Amino acid sequence: SQQGEEDPQALSIQEGENATMNCSYKTSINNLQWYRQNSGRGLVHLILIRSNEREKHSGRLRVTLDTSKKSSSLLITASRAADTASYFCATDAMKTSYDKVIFGPGTSLSVIP
Amino acid sequence: EPEVTQTPSHQVTQMGQEVILRCVPISNHLYFYWYRQILGQKVEFLVSFYNNEISEKSEIFDDQFSVERPDGSNFTLKIRSTKLEDSAMYFCASLWGNTGELFFGEGSRLTVL
């Protein structure tokens, strides 16, 4: 199986705090991506990090990738109530590339105003 | 902004009936996908489609499932004889191929009674 686990499964924080979510995977990858899903909606792409990159920033998002540990983390700084959603990491394996993009089980984030 | 559209948004069907879920991917995209999500749980890969043929499929995508791109714009998922456990949200996604970013539709909720 390509994908591992995300932790925590659920995270509840106060508005203004930082939220950190982790993702692990099993096979060598080309890219790792993070997506967000609001309840009952489709997934929205947040950020992509390539296997030769170690860190990437986009606004209040910071993603790190450690290919030696096969893990990634997503940090959301200065969280807002509107950040409440589920967050999923997704990987495409070197062997299959874009043919197979696999999602982790996700972290449910609640930001309390 | 271009988007992936899916119809119907919700379909209720009887067990054993055939169901066709429709998707219109973004027009210049090259890769097309179907994913399934049961009750807000994990987003499960079903199948990918590239160059007018299936490129990868999961163990979920058995003989009861088929995909077609009949006219160069629509991308359909057919379930031949639905089972209760097929009840889920089905998401279509497309990808251009260079950025790695998947664009998702809002999903079709399938309820099998």
Side-chain angles (χ1 to χ4, degrees):
Chain A
S1 154
Q2 181 175 322
Q3 191 55 278
E5 296 295 318
E6 276 157 87
D7 74 271
Q9 288 186 326
L11 180 60
S12 183
I13 59 173
Q14 296 289 329
E15 203 165 30
E17 292 180 339
N18 295 341
T20 300
M21 289 159 265
N22 302 296
C23 162
S24 65
Y25 57 91
K26 294 181 179 174
T27 62
S28 295
I29 61 169
N30 291 315
N31 305 297
L32 185 142
Q33 306 179 57
W34 285 89
Y35 287 79
R36 167 196 168 122
Q37 184 183 35
N38 286 357
S39 183
R41 305 293 301 273
L43 285 84
V44 175
H45 181 263
L46 295 175
I47 195 165
L48 179 149
I49 187 165
R50 301 198 185 280
S51 60
N52 61 354
E53 296 175 309
R54 292 297 165 256
E55 189 170 310
K56 206 157 181 183
H57 296 253
S58 176
R60 292 185 296 113
L61 306 180
R62 175 181 164 240
V63 169
T64 61
L65 179 64
D66 186 336
T67 51
S68 66
K69 294 181 180 174
K70 292 188 168 57
S71 68
S72 172
S73 68
L74 171 69
L75 168 67
I76 304 173
T77 60
S79 63
R80 304 165 183 166
D83 294 328
T84 294
S86 291
Y87 293 82
F88 297 88
C89 69
T91 55
D92 59 276
M94 271 190 183
K95 188 177 160 189
T96 51
S97 189
Y98 296 141
D99 289 338
K100 197 169 185 180
V101 180
I102 301 297
F103 285 79
T107 294
S108 176
L109 174 66
S110 296
V111 181
I112 302 162
Chain B
E1 188 172 314
E3 58 180 17
V4 176
T5 56
Q6 289 187 241
T7 54
S9 55
H10 188 192
Q11 179 151 0
V12 181
T13 190
Q14 294 290 325
M15 195 168 55
Q17 294 295 304
E18 177 183 283
V19 158
I20 297 176
L21 305 178
R22 291 185 166 81
C23 170
V24 180
I26 295 173
S27 62
N28 62 342
H29 282 193
L30 302 175
Y31 293 81
F32 312 105
Y33 307 82
W34 283 101
Y35 288 86
R36 178 178 87 175
Q37 187 179 37
I38 297 173
L39 280 175
Q41 293 175 25
K42 189 171 179 175
V43 178
E44 298 175 295
F45 171 80
L46 292 178
V47 66
S48 61
F49 195 85
Y50 172 73
N51 205 24
N52 288 317
E53 59 183 22
I54 289 174
S55 42
E56 286 283 335
K57 59 183 181 179
S58 71
E59 56 276 6
I60 302 169
F61 194 87
D62 61 21
D63 292 345
Q64 292 301 311
F65 290 88
S66 62
V67 288
E68 260 193 337
R69 189 160 155 79
D71 56 12
S73 61
N74 291 287
F75 179 51
T76 61
L77 174 70
K78 183 194 286 187
I79 310 174
R80 262 180 268 283
S81 177
T82 50
K83 305 178 194 127
L84 294 176
E85 54 265 35
D86 293 328
S87 294
M89 278 290 272
Y90 288 81
F91 290 103
C92 172
S94 68
L95 179 155
W96 178 55
N98 211 30
T99 63
E101 175 184 347
L102 270 71
F103 288 79
F104 279 82
E106 289 294 333
S108 292
R109 179 178 301 280
L110 176 64
T111 302
V112 183
L113 302 176

